[in-house]
Amino acid sequence: MEVISTVSPTPEIPATMRAVVVHGPGDYRLEERPVPQPGPGELLLRVDAVGVCASDLKCYHGAAKFWGDEHRPAWAQAGITPGHEFAGTVVAGDTAALERRGAALGDRLACEQIVPCWECRYCLRGNYWMCGPHDMFGFKGFDGAMADYVLVPERALTHHVSGDIAPQHAAFSEPLSCSMHAVERGRIQLDDTVVVAGAGPIGLGAIAGARQKNPFRLIALDMSDDKLELARKAGADILINITREDAVARVRELTDGYGADVYIEATGHPSAVAQGLDLLRKLGTFVEYSVFKDDVTVDWSIISDDKELDVLGAHLGPHCWRPAIKLIESGALPLDEICTHQFPLERFQEALDLVGDSSGGSVKVSILPSLG
C-alpha cells in the first residue's frame, strides 16, 4: 500500500510530541511521547485546536460517570490523552485512507467523539453513536487531542472543516453537533415555545440549532446576563435570568398558563431538571443532554400522572455534523464571543481550571498547541 507521508524525525513531523496524559483524577501531566505512526487506513492529524468540555473537567475531578463505581463501568482510562472536541490538519496517511475520506494532505478534519466498532447490535442497526463497546477519543480506547498530534483510526468518523476559519471555531463543530442532536430529539414544531436552560457552549448551540427550526418562541435561561446576551445573538427571542425572575411563572405567563412545549436541559445542574418538569405543559417534551456530576432526584409523578411528558435523552451528535459545520462556516454565530479563551498546550491546567471557574468569564475554552 502506497504511503503518502510517513512519520520521521523531520521538521514537519518530529519523532516525539507533547501530550497531556491522564494518571488518575486530579493528576494530568504534560509528557513527551512518540508521534503515532499511522497504519493501514489510519490518518495522522496535527492538532489545530481542541476544546475543553465540561465533561473533561468532571472526568478530571473524578466523577463516577467516568471512573465508575458500584453502579457504573469505568469509561476513563489512565494513560490516555484527553480531548474529544478537536480539528486538525492531515499530515500523514496512506492512499486508501485518504481516498476513503475524500481527503488530501493539508485538509482540515474534525472527528466525531465516538469510534464505533461497526459490529455490535447498535452499529449494525445504524445507531452507531450508541455503539456497545463505546470507544471514544480522549476517554476510552483512543488517545484524544490534547497533544501536538492525534491518530485517527480506520473506524473513526471524520468531517471536512474549512481551513479558512479560526482553529477554535473549527473545533466547536463537535459541541455544536451535539447541541443540534438535542434539538432534533425535541421534535420542535413551528408553533412551539421552546426553552433552553443554560447558555454555555451546549446551550448556546441548542439555541442556535433551535433557531434553525424557527419555533414561535425561543427562550433562554441562565444566571449570567453576559451569557444571555450571547443567547440573544445565537437566536433566542426572550431572555430570563433565573437569579432575578421566576422562570416557571414567566413561561406560564407567556403561554396563557400552559407552559413550554419543549425544554432542553443544558446546564448539568440538578436543579434545572426539576425546573424543566415544572415549566413544561402537559404532554410536553423534556430533552436531557447534560452530564451530571451528582445524582438527580425529582418527583416522577409529574412525568406520569400529572403531565404525561415525553422525557428523552440525547448523546453525542449523530447526523448533525454537516449542518453544524455549515452553520459555523456561514459566520452566522458570534463565535469570537463564544470561543472566549485559547491556551497553549503547556498551560492545559489553566484551561481546565478556567472551565471550572464560574466567575472567570469564559464560555468556550480551547487549547491550541501551536500557541506554544
Side-chain angles (χ1 to χ4, degrees), residues 21-352:
V21 179
V22 174
H23 287 265
D27 186 6
Y28 289 18
R29 308 174 198 173
L30 188 63
E31 299 178 359
E32 197 80 7
R33 284 194 159 187
V35 173
Q37 297 196 35
E42 299 176 336
L43 296 179
L44 183 70
L45 303 186
R46 182 179 64 247
V47 178
D48 295 336
V50 54
V52 182
C53 179
S55 64
D56 290 318
L57 184 70
K58 289 168 183 175
C59 181
Y60 174 77
H61 286 301
K65 165 76 176 176
F66 302 97
W67 292 99
D69 57 18
E70 65 272 21
H71 306 295
R72 294 181 179 273
W75 278 19
Q77 294 178 340
I80 208 164
T81 292
H84 60 274
E85 300 179 2
F86 66 91
T89 299
V90 181
V91 294
D94 61 38
T95 303
L98 291 167
E99 289 182 348
R100 185 169 68 85
R101 299 180 187 278
L105 295 181
D107 284 358
R108 175 182 277 171
L109 299 178
C111 296
E112 298 199 24
Q113 178 184 354
I114 189 81
V115 182
C117 71
W118 302 116
E119 296 177 351
C120 72
R121 179 179 188 175
Y122 302 104
C123 288
L124 291 175
R125 291 184 175 186
N127 309 126
Y128 72 89
W129 66 99
M130 297 305 297
C131 172
H134 224 76
D135 291 336
M136 298 182 291
F137 283 109
F139 289 112
K140 176 177 176 284
F142 295 95
D143 284 324
M146 288 188 190
D148 290 311
Y149 295 88
V150 62
L151 186 71
V152 179
E154 186 174 13
R155 294 191 272 122
L157 292 150
T158 58
H159 304 273
H160 284 76
V161 188
S162 172
D164 295 331
I165 63 176
Q168 61 271 25
H169 298 178
F172 193 69
S173 57
E174 199 280 341
L176 183 57
S177 67
C178 292
S179 301
M180 285 186 159
H181 178 49
V183 169
E184 290 283 76
R185 291 284 280 162
R187 301 188 296 266
I188 293 170
Q189 304 296 308
L190 290 174
D191 198 39
D192 281 350
T193 291
V194 178
V195 176
V196 177
I202 295 296
L204 290 169
I207 291 162
R211 184 74 279 155
Q212 306 306 302
K213 300 287 187 179
N214 201 29
F216 176 71
R217 186 184 288 115
L218 180 53
I219 302 171
L221 312 181
D222 203 276
M223 301 172 67
S224 163
D225 287 335
D226 290 339
K227 289 184 177 179
L228 286 169
E229 184 55 36
L230 271 179
R232 185 190 301 280
K233 293 178 181 179
D237 300 309
I238 297 170
L239 314 177
I240 300 177
N241 187 316
I242 63 170
T243 67
R244 296 195 298 270
E245 289 189 81
D246 182 331
V248 175
R250 179 78 188 284
V251 170
R252 286 180 179 165
E253 176 187 340
L254 290 166
T255 57
D256 298 322
Y258 287 101
D261 301 283
V262 179
Y263 179 86
I264 300 175
E265 199 292 300
T267 72
H269 195 281
S271 65
V273 178
Q275 171 184 261
L277 297 179
D278 287 341
L279 63 74
L280 278 170
R281 65 166 172 82
K282 294 179 179 180
L283 302 175
T285 299
F286 186 115
V287 181
E288 181 56 67
Y289 191 88
S290 296
V291 175
F292 290 94
K293 176 179 176 292
D294 301 311
D295 291 339
V296 180
T297 301
V298 297
D299 179 1
W300 275 73
S301 62
I302 297 173
I303 298 168
S304 57
D305 189 52
D306 291 359
K307 294 185 177 182
E308 195 176 320
L309 300 176
D310 287 339
V311 179
L312 304 170
H315 178 56
L316 304 183
H319 311 304
C320 294
W321 280 76
R322 289 199 304 170
I325 291 169
K326 180 180 180 181
L327 187 57
I328 289 171
E329 292 177 345
S330 75
L333 296 180
L335 285 173
D336 284 333
E337 297 175 76
I338 293 173
C339 299
T340 52
H341 293 76
Q342 294 83 50
F343 290 87
L345 190 57
E346 60 268 21
R347 294 171 60 191
F348 77 91
Q349 188 65 57
E350 292 177 60
L352 281 168

